[in-house]
Amino acid sequence: MTPTTHEHEHEFARYAEVRSALADPHLVPIPADPGPVGTVAWLRASVARFSAGEEHARRRARVEAELARLDPAGLRKTVGEGDARTAVVRALAEAMGIGEPDAVARDVGVVAGAYFGGGGAVEDAAVARLVERCGPEPEAAAHRIGLLVQACDATGGLVEKARARAGGPGESVEARLTDTLRYDPPVRVMRRTAAAATRVGGVAVAEGDLVLLDIAAANRDPEAADHLTFGAEPRVCPGREHALALAAGILERRPPGRELADGITALVAHVLRLASTWTHWDGSPRAVDDRVYTPHKAIRRVADHLVDHLAELEARLAGEEPQPDHWHASATTTPADLAPFTREDLDEAHSRLNRLARIWSNRLDALTAGQLDDSPGTGWTFREIATHLQGSVYYADAVGDLTPAKEQTP
């Protein structure tokens, strides 16, 4: 067996070097130590991902046969909504005829965290349950579990990254996925070990050396003919068509929380439109109701409101009690609130609020209809919280449009 301790380490980031390394039969995945059937160690030692040579070819053939039974177009139509990692595992499990897809998705999520190393009793127990559902033949079960885990980790990660990319007007789902695969791949580095001495890009690699392949950098290389996110021959990912179909299917669906996310995005856009006029502020606080507001105070209150309820939502999803509310809120006007509002302050407000809007958008996109309306913990539902946040326009409207009269359009 190839040693798993490495005396020397090499890193390659140029497209030609990485592609050459991926095609080199002497550079193989770091082999996995075996373990008892139904454990993470057994799973890693049984799948094609961590094998090489004839063993890899035999295992890969079985994986390809499993995938051949699955229609990518059908997966694209039937994949569900909500959390991407759960959705892709559910869709694959159902297509492969594996029972209890919700339970499978939960266990696969646990195993995915230990697939590339680590794990303990909790992860081993999840593998054992998956073997029972994916059996009866252990090696076949390992291949099916491997497909599910990689879909959870890589395909789910692809969707998350694609959702976070700022797409252009009219951009197709396919174009967004292509850009994401090239410029923000879910797997950024591939690891190989030298089973025998070889050379990569003129660099001598001794037997047993560790080789790190920077896929993200290679994809951005000006000489890159295509992206290497799915690897390259002879080990190109056999499930790439299925992965793209699942990712496209999720991105095409309008998540249950999309309207709420759009509302928060519109809130921030409204605040920043008004804030663009606040460099003209004369320094006099605006009295509204029983409070006073200034440009800095309005930005502070909008940002704090978004942060406060985001922290509440995340705590409740994690099964924790939200932190007690100790905000001074609008009752206090600080010396910082009274400072002039400069062009630099406006730039900071854009960065701060747009990022908060994106965090909220991603979080709401990942919630199911049930989580929105039957939310864990006590308090308003998450739908009610997101709707409530849209009322934060109040703080910006309190300051108002400060465009000088001479500059206003008749």
Side-chain angles (χ1 to χ4, degrees), residues 277-290:
T277 73
W278 293 348
T279 55
H280 300 290
W281 181 52
D282 62 7
S284 301
R286 276 16 185 199
V288 178
D289 299 328
D290 60 343

Side-chain angles (χ1 to χ4, degrees), residues 12 38 46 54 90 114 128 130 181 218 229 249 253 255 269 306 400 404:
F12 299 98
S46 302
E54 293 182 4
R90 276 185 51 87
L130 290 169
L181 287 164
T229 303
R253 281 157 179 69
L306 292 170

